[in-house]
């Protein structure tokens, strides 16, 4: 039996800045995981992925990342995605430093 | 130092012009990412976890002060104020924007630096002993050989689409500080009957299938070096597996076909390459060698050094730990640690880079080196200048006296930056360094090399660490495996796995137990960790790692 589908977000790196971006429900790219569109239907997720991959002048390396629903919205289920949404642990750089920007 | 010719300069400018146009076409939507990716990789530009990363080549780890200042400028103007020196003697910038990279490359070209062939399936930056031209144990300076190889391999038409990347390292001394046995080709300068030649090793490498290099030829005469290396790469280029990237490196080719068969094929191919070389390479080599002539060393008293050594315990500790023997009387090789306790191994701020450039200009014949151990070397400093130099280093957080000690850790960027990583390595390194600094046992422990990689690609050389740490993702959790007994020198050996891995929280205490076991069981303070391991074997360390843990848990 195939594994049940778990919630996903569409994510990538921005073409110019190279930083982590997520696809929002209004088709815009957002920098904050909690503002990403959470996809709980596999068929819709595949279509959203294809849509995002068709925007190569904005995003590089588009894929579906697993998330779970928290109080603030999507949260990562794997530590790699935790680092992607936060930034490195040796300096206060990246997303964690730009949170209010 | 080697001065770029008009040809070198024109070549880099042309490549930069091409890449600028490629970036413009990518941003305008005229190139897809699939089309653009090989082009950016040819110019050292990766896309990592949080941003792009630009890897700049530092040929054989040698820099002038002007070049170091330009690296500082890049860090400040287009990055976040620092750069990361790597285990292949390069520098990486972790935060550039795609649209800024052409300007960064132009700025580098102003001082004859570039990012060409720092990525992709080409012959990468040729590395060399960071003590080159200064070491007391040297037969000949390896840098002219490395520069000759750089010129030969750059844009070599036959070798732009190799089965996989190809790394060459050169040592001019019998004491190997360039890890030549873990390179695709390792070259050792040797002397036979008064003639300089090369012992050539092939098929070494780390990564997921670590191998120690095997002897391809015990003596290649100086005149035959380029045709011999060309024959070797050429044999592999045809024979190497392109069906599976994990089996494409020359170490697998040598392993699958056997060294005798590779020797036979290289000899046959050498007959052809040798005939095709017309001697221009030898004229070029003679010219290159002249440009690496030693600076004019001065004869001066060393009284200031002796006085500071007697009077200042901090200076004495630094001098005992961070200096190496120079071939010229009155001189020392200064190793500047980029491993301040708790700081990221290999990182230098723009300000620190400028300080190092100034020191090189003032005291060091304008030369700097980057070591594969991610430190900076001032190769030629007169001992009388050391007290003043030390004072300036200290004022800028650069006087940590820990070269070769437990906190002088090699660590790859790991999951803090790298898209390939499976776990973090930097925080493990900083926590180990901080812990042993608190315990104040670092100098009692003595020489001990810890090397940490955040995935099986082994950029952090964990296989050849006395203690190697490999970070893996086990079921969505960072897990760290330990290997013991690795050795990166002329007595190279691969470490042996101790057993099950440890979690992120458990790994630093585990290292502490290992070190305690060593301190308990060593025969004397002179017996290093590696010597003790070779004498005692794995058993007592396994006990310390696993049985003590169970006892504590019970």
């Amino acid at each position: 039996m195939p594994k049940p589908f778990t919630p996903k977000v569409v994510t990538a790196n921005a073409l110019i800045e190279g930083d982590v971006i997520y696809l929002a429900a209004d088709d815009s790219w957002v920098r904050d995981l909690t503002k990403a569109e959470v996809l709980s239907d596999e068929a819709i997720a595949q279509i959203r992925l294809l849509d995002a991959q068709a925007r190569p002048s904005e995003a590089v390396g588009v894929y579906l990342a697993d998330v779970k629903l928290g109080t603030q919205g999507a949260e990562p289920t794997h530590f790699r995605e935790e680092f992607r949404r936060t930034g490195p642990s040796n300096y206060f750089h990246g997303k964690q430093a730009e949170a209010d920007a | 130092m080697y001065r770029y010719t008009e040809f070198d300069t024109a070549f880099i400018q042309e490549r930069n012009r091409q890449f600028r146009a490629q970036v413009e076409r990518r941003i305008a939507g005229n190139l897809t990412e699939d089309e653009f990716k090989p082009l950016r990789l040819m110019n050292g530009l990766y896309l990592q976890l949080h941003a792009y990363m630009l890897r700049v080549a530092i040929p054989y780890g040698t820099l002038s002060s002007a070049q170091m200042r330009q690296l500082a400028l890049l860090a400040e103007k287009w990055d976040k104020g620092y750069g990361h020196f790597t285990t292949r003697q390069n520098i990486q910038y972790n935060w550039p924007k795609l649209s800024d990279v052409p300007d960064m490359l132009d700025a580098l070209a102003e001082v004859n630096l570039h990012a060409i062939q720092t990525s992709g399936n080409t012959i990468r930056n040729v590395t060399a002993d960071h003590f080159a031209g200064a070491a007391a144990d040297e037969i000949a300076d390896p840098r002219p050989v490395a520069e000759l190889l750089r010129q030969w391999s750059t844009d070599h038409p036959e070798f732009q689409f190799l089965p996989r990347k190809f790394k060459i390292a050169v040592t001019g001394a019998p004491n190997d500080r360039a890890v030549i046995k873990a390179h695709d080709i390792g070259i050792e300068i040797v002397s036979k009957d008064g003639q300089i030649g090369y012992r050539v090793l092939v098929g070494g490498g780390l990564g997921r299938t670590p191998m120690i290099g095997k002897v391809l030829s015990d003596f290649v005469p100086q005149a035959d070096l380029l045709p011999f290396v060309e024959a070797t790469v050429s044999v592999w280029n045809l024979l190497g597996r392109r069906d599976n990237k994990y089996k494409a490196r020359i170490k697998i080719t040598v392993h699958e076909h056997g060294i005798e068969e590779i020797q036979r094929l290289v000899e046959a191919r050498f007959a052809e390459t040798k005939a095709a070389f017309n001697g221009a390479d030898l004229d070029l080599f003679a010219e290159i060698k002249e440009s690496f002539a030693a600076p004019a060393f001065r004869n001066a008293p060393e009284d200031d050094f002796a006085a500071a050594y007697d009077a200042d315990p901090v200076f004495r500790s630094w001098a005992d730990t961070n200096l190496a023997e120079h071939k010229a009387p009155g001189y020392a090789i200064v190793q500047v640690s980029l491993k301040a306790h708790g700081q990221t191994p290999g990182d230098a701020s723009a300000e620190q880079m400028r300080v190092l450039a100034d020191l090189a200009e003032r005291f060091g014949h304008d030369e700097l080196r980057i070591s594969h151990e991610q430190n900076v070397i001032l190769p030629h400093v007169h001992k009388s200048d050391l007290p003043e130099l030390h004072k300036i280093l200290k004022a800028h957080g650069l006087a940590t006296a820990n070269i070769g000690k437990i906190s002088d850790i090699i660590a790859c960027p790991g999951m803090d930056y790298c898209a390939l990583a499976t776990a973090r390595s930097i925080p493990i390194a900083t926590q180990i360094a901080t812990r042993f600094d608190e315990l104040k046992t670092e100098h009692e422990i003595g020489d001990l090399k810890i090397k940490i990689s955040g995935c099986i690609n082994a950029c952090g050389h964990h296989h050849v660490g006395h203690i190697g740490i490999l970070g893996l993702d086990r079921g969505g959790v960072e897990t760290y495996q330990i290997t013991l007994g690795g050795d990166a020198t002329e007595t190279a050996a691969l470490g042996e796995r101790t057993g099950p891995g440890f979690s992120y929280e458990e790994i630093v205490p585990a290292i502490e137990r290992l070190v305690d076991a060593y301190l308990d069981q060593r025969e004397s303070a002179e017996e290093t960790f590696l010597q003790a391991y070779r004498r005692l074997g794995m058993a007592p360390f396994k006990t310390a790692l696993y049985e003590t843990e169970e006892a504590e848990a019970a």
Side-chain angles (χ1 to χ4, degrees), chain B residues 371-400:
Chain B
S371 75
H372 82 269
E373 291 177 318
Q374 304 180 281
N375 292 313
V376 177
I377 315 295
L378 296 166
H380 313 296
V381 182
H382 194 272
K383 283 186 180 172
S384 61
D385 292 327
L386 288 171
E388 176 68 11
L389 182 130
H390 178 253
K391 204 171 84 185
I392 298 168
L393 288 174
K394 209 162 64 174
H396 295 89
L398 291 166
T400 312

Side-chain angles (χ1 to χ4, degrees), chain B residues 19-287:
Chain B
F19 188 58
R20 182 178 291 276
Q22 289 156 1
V23 170
E24 281 166 7
R25 293 208 293 284
R26 175 69 183 97
I27 291 174
N30 299 328
L31 285 177
T32 66
E33 185 61 21
D34 284 348
E35 289 165 332
F36 179 64
K37 190 176 174 184
L39 300 172
R40 67 168 159 79
L41 289 178
M42 279 171 74
N43 293 286
L45 188 63
Y46 288 74
L47 183 53
Q48 293 287 40
L49 222 48
H50 314 294
Y52 286 93
M53 180 272 279
L54 180 67
R55 181 183 292 154
V56 177
I58 301 175
Y60 33 92
T62 296
L63 287 170
S64 67
S65 55
Q67 289 175 323
M68 186 63 119
R69 285 196 189 98
Q70 199 75 345
L71 294 180
L73 177 88
L74 262 78
E76 222 163 49
K77 193 165 172 185
W78 291 292
D79 207 89
K80 293 189 187 291
Y82 73 101
H84 176 74
F85 291 104
T86 78
T87 53
R88 295 213 75 256
Q89 301 180 307
N90 293 319
I91 185 170
Q92 295 182 175
Y93 294 101
N94 285 323
W95 302 96
K97 280 186 190 173
L98 177 61
S99 44
D100 287 337
V101 173
D103 290 342
M104 294 172 80
L105 292 175
D106 282 349
L108 289 167
E110 287 172 17
V111 291
N112 298 330
L113 287 173
H114 60 77
I116 296 168
Q117 290 182 206
T118 58
S119 176
N121 295 334
T122 55
I123 298 175
R124 302 289 188 88
N125 184 31
V126 178
T127 55
D129 182 356
H130 43 272
F131 292 172
D137 59 358
E138 190 169 271
I139 291 168
D141 189 337
R143 290 172 303 159
V145 173
E147 173 59 26
L148 183 71
L149 289 165
R150 185 192 72 81
Q151 295 195 19
W152 159 81
S153 63
T154 301
D155 229 19
H156 192 303
E158 190 180 333
F159 302 143
Q160 291 305 299
F161 294 94
L162 293 168
R164 200 74 179 84
K165 58 187 163 187
F166 199 84
K167 299 176 181 176
I168 304 176
V170 194
T171 175
N175 297 305
D176 178 16
R177 290 172 288 261
V179 210
I180 66 165
K181 289 185 176 176
H183 279 76
D184 295 293
I185 286 183
I187 297 172
E188 179 188 352
I189 301 177
V190 290
S191 171
K192 194 171 93 177
D193 308 325
Q195 293 294 307
I196 293 278
Y198 310 99
R199 186 162 173 259
V200 179
L201 307 174
V202 72
L206 302 175
R208 71 176 61 212
T209 319
M211 303 258 187
I212 298 293
K214 298 172 180 71
V215 177
L216 182 60
S217 172
D218 261 318
F219 192 85
V220 175
Q222 192 163 304
D224 291 344
L225 182 68
L226 276 194
F228 189 84
V229 173
E230 180 153 304
T232 309
V233 183
S234 176
V235 163
W236 168 67
N237 196 18
L238 288 179
L239 200 61
R241 287 180 59 173
R242 290 169 190 265
D243 61 316
N244 180 341
K245 75 183 263 193
Y246 302 122
K247 297 189 186 298
R249 296 287 291 269
I250 197 170
K251 62 190 173 188
I252 305 291
T253 316
V254 172
H255 183 74
E256 287 185 345
H257 293 264
I259 186 71
E260 292 80 15
E261 173 71 356
I262 299 295
Q263 280 165 337
R264 193 185 65 73
L265 291 167
V266 169
E267 280 306 321
R269 177 71 181 136
F270 174 68
E272 295 164 350
T273 54
K274 173 72 178 161
F277 276 73
N278 60 8
D281 56 316
L282 302 179
D283 297 341
L284 179 63
F285 186 56
E287 269 176 49

Side-chain angles (χ1 to χ4, degrees), chain B residues 496-513:
Chain B
E496 197 185 334
R497 234 182 91 188
T498 56
F502 296 86
S503 72
Y504 183 81
E505 288 74 24
E506 291 165 343
I507 184 67
V508 179
I511 298 300
E512 203 177 321
R513 290 198 299 279

Side-chain angles (χ1 to χ4, degrees), chain A residues 15-16 56 78 80 89-91, chain B residues 52 98 344 347 416-417 419 473:
Chain A
L15 174 68
I16 306 287
H78 189 277
R80 187 174 194 271
S89 53
N90 63 330
Y91 296 114
Chain B
Y52 286 93
L98 177 61
T344 303
D347 278 13
D416 286 305
Y417 297 90
D473 173 355

